[in-house]
Amino acid sequence: MAQAPRKIVHLDADAFFASVEQVLEPSLRGKPIAVGGAERGIVCSASYEARRLGVRTPMPTAAARRICPGLIMVPGRHGVYSEFSHRMFEIIHDFTPEVERCSIDEGYFELSGRREPIEELTGAIRDRIRKTLQLPVSFGMGSNKLVTQIASKMYKPESFHLVPPGSEAMFLYPLSNRWLPGVGEKTGKALDALGLHNVFHILQAPLSLLERAVGSYARELRQYAAGVDERPVVSIAEDPKSYGQQKTFLEELENRGEVELRLKRMLDELMAKIRADGKYVRTLTVRVRYPGMEEAQGSQSLCEPSCVATDFYPLLKELLTRIWRKPLPLRMAGVKLSQVYRASSVALHLPLFSGRPDGGEARIRLARAVDQLHRTLGQGAIGPARDILHEEKSEKEPPPHLFFEE
Ligand SMILES: [Mg+2]
């Protein structure tokens, strides 16, 4: 007996960054807006109102302004987009654990194990996203990744299109060869030159002819042209939701400088791990325990996620001041970093980031260089200059040999 067709959905948020801005700022709704770095002058995302007037991504801001003089430019806020993305995928996770996130606003999920019709479940997901996030999102539904991805993109925005199982090949026949996986502009032109403009032509072409344009990829390409695509939906194991460390002190501590130093060291260690995992974090929680086991804690977030410990130092100081009921000494203190983002989603639009006045990128490079030295020469090889000041105090931990300024 033939296997039941898989139930796969591709989702893709429409004009994601611009849509988020329009959700958060009602006065921008219905207007041509573009998100982009004003200095670098590249349009990262354009609202559909702007697209209708010819604005495209990526396009120099100057060119976009010429085409559309009324264009409203909005600086990007990556932390906010990551947050929306996170919440969008969380909604899907409520329906199925099989979710493959491809980028900040795009992914696949699988509902094969579910009895309900695919349109019913996908409709429920769409409604939840609309209601809680107000974001316009496109959905393509079908039996494999290829057709669902095309279906969501082809009928954008707010598409909700099912390619019924069995009709995959028919759905693809009339489409340009550019829709097939692995066919970019260059390969597309090579196929065009052989008269293989559409998917149907590719399906009909002898393998030897196809090989002249795409070499050893010919067989696989023809499979795709026939609407056959066995690629699985690869759900990645749950990422850690937070990173934390705490220490119970042998002697109760009442010196603020000493506590701060220890917490900073914990932050440094955690941050090295976060960088090694390819992550960014936004929220810092500081926790303390007094001799009677009573505890206090407080949290604070950065505007944008970071992977550099020094970004969190000011928050650490503030939190410690806020939660520590002096003159009580401390038995234990710890830090936790939460709201974890994947570096790939944060770095996706680096131009937005590199405009930071504090040289964000340079500091990340420095931190990575230090990580590398620690790995090859050991933890004692290099450390922050503040440790010189505490040289005499910390007998157990010898100070590092090299220092860098923070
Ligand atoms: Mg999108």
Side-chain angles (χ1 to χ4, degrees), residues 209-267:
L209 184 66
L210 216 47
E211 276 167 350
R212 276 166 51 192
V214 302
S216 59
Y217 185 55
R219 233 171 249 282
E220 205 178 330
L221 186 65
R222 204 158 64 173
Q223 284 283 91
Y224 287 136
V228 177
D229 177 11
E230 305 287 352
R231 288 175 298 172
V233 171
V234 184
S235 50
I236 296 162
E238 270 297 286
D239 287 330
K241 292 226 170 0
S242 67
Y243 291 79
Q245 208 188 100
Q246 59 183 45
K247 258 184 195 131
T248 305
F249 308 126
L250 293 174
E251 291 164 50
E252 287 159 8
L253 292 183
E254 44 197 19
N255 180 301
R256 187 187 154 116
E258 183 68 24
V259 173
E260 215 180 280
L261 176 72
R262 294 198 185 212
L263 290 174
K264 278 184 179 173
R265 284 195 182 145
M266 290 182 206
L267 260 185

Side-chain angles (χ1 to χ4, degrees), residues 168-225:
E168 292 83 0
M170 252 167 33
F171 170 72
L172 296 175
Y173 280 166
L175 302 184
S176 147
N177 57 35
R178 308 294 202 274
W179 284 99
L180 292 176
V183 181
E185 206 36 51
K186 199 171 149 229
T187 311
K189 276 191 183 139
L191 289 165
D192 288 345
L194 298 172
L196 310 176
H197 301 282
N198 298 337
V199 176
F200 181 73
H201 298 139
I202 291 171
L203 190 63
Q204 296 295 310
L207 207 59
S208 56
L209 184 66
L210 216 47
E211 276 167 350
R212 276 166 51 192
V214 302
S216 59
Y217 185 55
R219 233 171 249 282
E220 205 178 330
L221 186 65
R222 204 158 64 173
Q223 284 283 91
Y224 287 136

